Structure formats: C-alpha cells, structure tokens
C-alpha cells in the first residue's frame, strides 16, 4: 500500500472526512470537485471498505446510466458518463485478483491508464504501482462502523525529482 506521507515529499493531502452511507452521494460530488483534474483514481481499503460502493456513487454523480457493478471477475467495466454536457468514458477496474504489474498488463488492464479525456477508477491499484507514470489521485477508504466510513484523498506524485 502507498503510504502517502512517507512515499514522496511531493505527495499532497487534499481532503479528509468521515461520512455516513446516507451521505455518500454528497461526498462523491465533493471528491469529484476536488479530484476531477486527475485521470487516474486509485482506491485503497480493506475488503468491504466500500470501494465499489463509492465508485457507484461517483458514476451516478457523473450521469452514468448503466448499472455499475464490481469488476472483480471482469477486471474492467466500461461506462459512458455525461457530466455538465461533457461526454467521457469511465474505466472501472479491480486488480484484486491480479498479482502484479505483469498480470495487470497480461489482462489488458494497463491499457485503461491515461486515455485522453477518460477516467480510470482502479480498486486494488497498489498491486501494480510501477505502471503509474503520471500523477494520480489516491482515495483511501476505511470502515468506522457498518454505517460510517472515513475517506482521505491524496495527490500522489510520480516525479522522480
């Protein structure tokens, strides 16, 4: 897992909050407003922390009409978004079943990174961090209780300087 505080001095803490599951759509809108300049969003959290649930709320906020589901077995789900009269594709991927960057590439999941004007929402991205060549948004989710979560957003710099 990325430890944003120690990984690189250029990493920047952007936002942190506790939220109830009733407030997830409001938090998703807030997170979008903070992080929409990033094309790659990496979601970290224990099993059951709400990564897919949060992606569903983001997709709803972005005008996705299709049913958003977990990509655990499909590896990648693709959705068309229509937000503020802008059309773009969201690639929702789950790398939990993939061991490392070699398996991510063999599964074709690395191809979703950095498509122009599209977004990649990746669960369990820490399995292949070496594939990230541009800065990305790290969303860390933690369970506080069955109805409450904690979210923290970080700008992760890939700069070697």
């Amino acid at each position: 897992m990325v430890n944003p505080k120690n990984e690189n001095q250029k990493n920047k803490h952007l936002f942190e909050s506790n939220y109830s599951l009733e407030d997830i759509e409001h938090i998703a809108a807030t997170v979008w407003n903070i992080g929409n300049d990033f094309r790659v969003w990496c979601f970290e959290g224990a099993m059951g922390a709400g990564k897919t649930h949060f992606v569903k709320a983001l997709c709803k906020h972005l005008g996705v009409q299709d049913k958003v589901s977990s990509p655990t077995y499909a590896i990648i789900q693709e959705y068309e978004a229509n937000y503020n009269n802008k059309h773009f594709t969201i690639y929702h991927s789950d790398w939990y079943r993939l061991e490392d960057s070699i398996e991510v590439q063999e599964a074709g999941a690395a191809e979703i990174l950095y498509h122009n004007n599209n977004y990649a929402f990746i669960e369990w991205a820490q399995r292949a961090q070496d594939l990230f060549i541009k800065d990305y948004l790290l969303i860390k989710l933690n369970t506080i209780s069955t109805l409450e979560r904690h979210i923290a957003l970080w700008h992760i710099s890939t700069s070697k300087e």
Side-chain angles (χ1 to χ4, degrees), residues 74-139:
I75 308 297
I76 302 169
Q77 302 281 17
E78 187 174 323
Y79 304 108
E80 294 303 317
N82 183 7
Y83 181 76
N84 284 348
N85 294 319
K86 293 180 186 174
H87 302 281
F88 52 90
T89 301
I90 295 170
Y91 298 99
H92 179 201
S93 189
D94 186 331
W95 295 355
Y96 179 75
R97 294 181 39 226
L98 306 173
E99 288 295 318
D100 54 27
S101 58
I102 292 170
E103 284 195 12
V104 169
Q105 290 173 321
E106 288 173 351
E111 295 174 17
I112 67 171
L113 300 173
Y114 312 114
H115 280 200
N116 290 339
N117 301 318
N118 295 319
Y119 289 85
F121 294 166
I122 305 166
E123 300 180 36
W124 300 95
Q126 65 269 30
R127 297 193 183 260
Q129 287 177 309
D130 55 319
L131 295 177
F132 300 109
I133 57 171
K134 295 182 182 177
D135 292 6
Y136 60 93
L137 185 67
L138 173 64
I139 299 103

Side-chain angles (χ1 to χ4, degrees), residues 146-161:
T146 55
L147 298 176
E148 191 175 18
R149 302 292 186 266
H150 178 82
I151 188 168
L153 274 59
W154 292 85
H155 166 188
I156 302 298
S157 174
T158 57
S159 173
K160 303 297 183 209
E161 298 174 7

Side-chain angles (χ1 to χ4, degrees), residues 2 4 10 13-14 19 21 37 39 45 50 54 62 69 73 77 79 81 85 94 106 110 118-119 131-132 138 142 150:
V2 170
K10 294 184 180 186
H13 182 260
L14 301 174
Y19 66 94
L21 296 182
D37 286 339
R39 295 298 172 170
F54 197 85
L62 297 174
S69 60
Y73 294 100
Q77 302 281 17
Y79 304 108
N85 294 319
D94 186 331
E106 288 173 351
N118 295 319
Y119 289 85
L131 295 177
F132 300 109
L138 173 64
N142 291 299
H150 178 82

Side-chain angles (χ1 to χ4, degrees), residues 27-98:
I27 290 292
T30 299
V31 168
W32 175 254
N33 290 335
I34 294 167
N36 67 66
D37 286 339
F38 294 94
R39 295 298 172 170
V40 176
W41 294 36
C42 299
F43 292 82
E44 287 186 7
M47 190 76 69
K51 296 176 293 295
T52 299
H53 195 67
F54 197 85
V55 170
K56 286 179 183 181
L58 275 170
C59 287
K60 182 177 180 181
H61 177 71
L62 297 174
V64 171
Q65 297 298 310
D66 295 327
K67 180 182 179 195
V68 176
S69 60
S70 174
T72 299
Y73 294 100
I75 308 297
I76 302 169
Q77 302 281 17
E78 187 174 323
Y79 304 108
E80 294 303 317
N82 183 7
Y83 181 76
N84 284 348
N85 294 319
K86 293 180 186 174
H87 302 281
F88 52 90
T89 301
I90 295 170
Y91 298 99
H92 179 201
S93 189
D94 186 331
W95 295 355
Y96 179 75
R97 294 181 39 226
L98 306 173

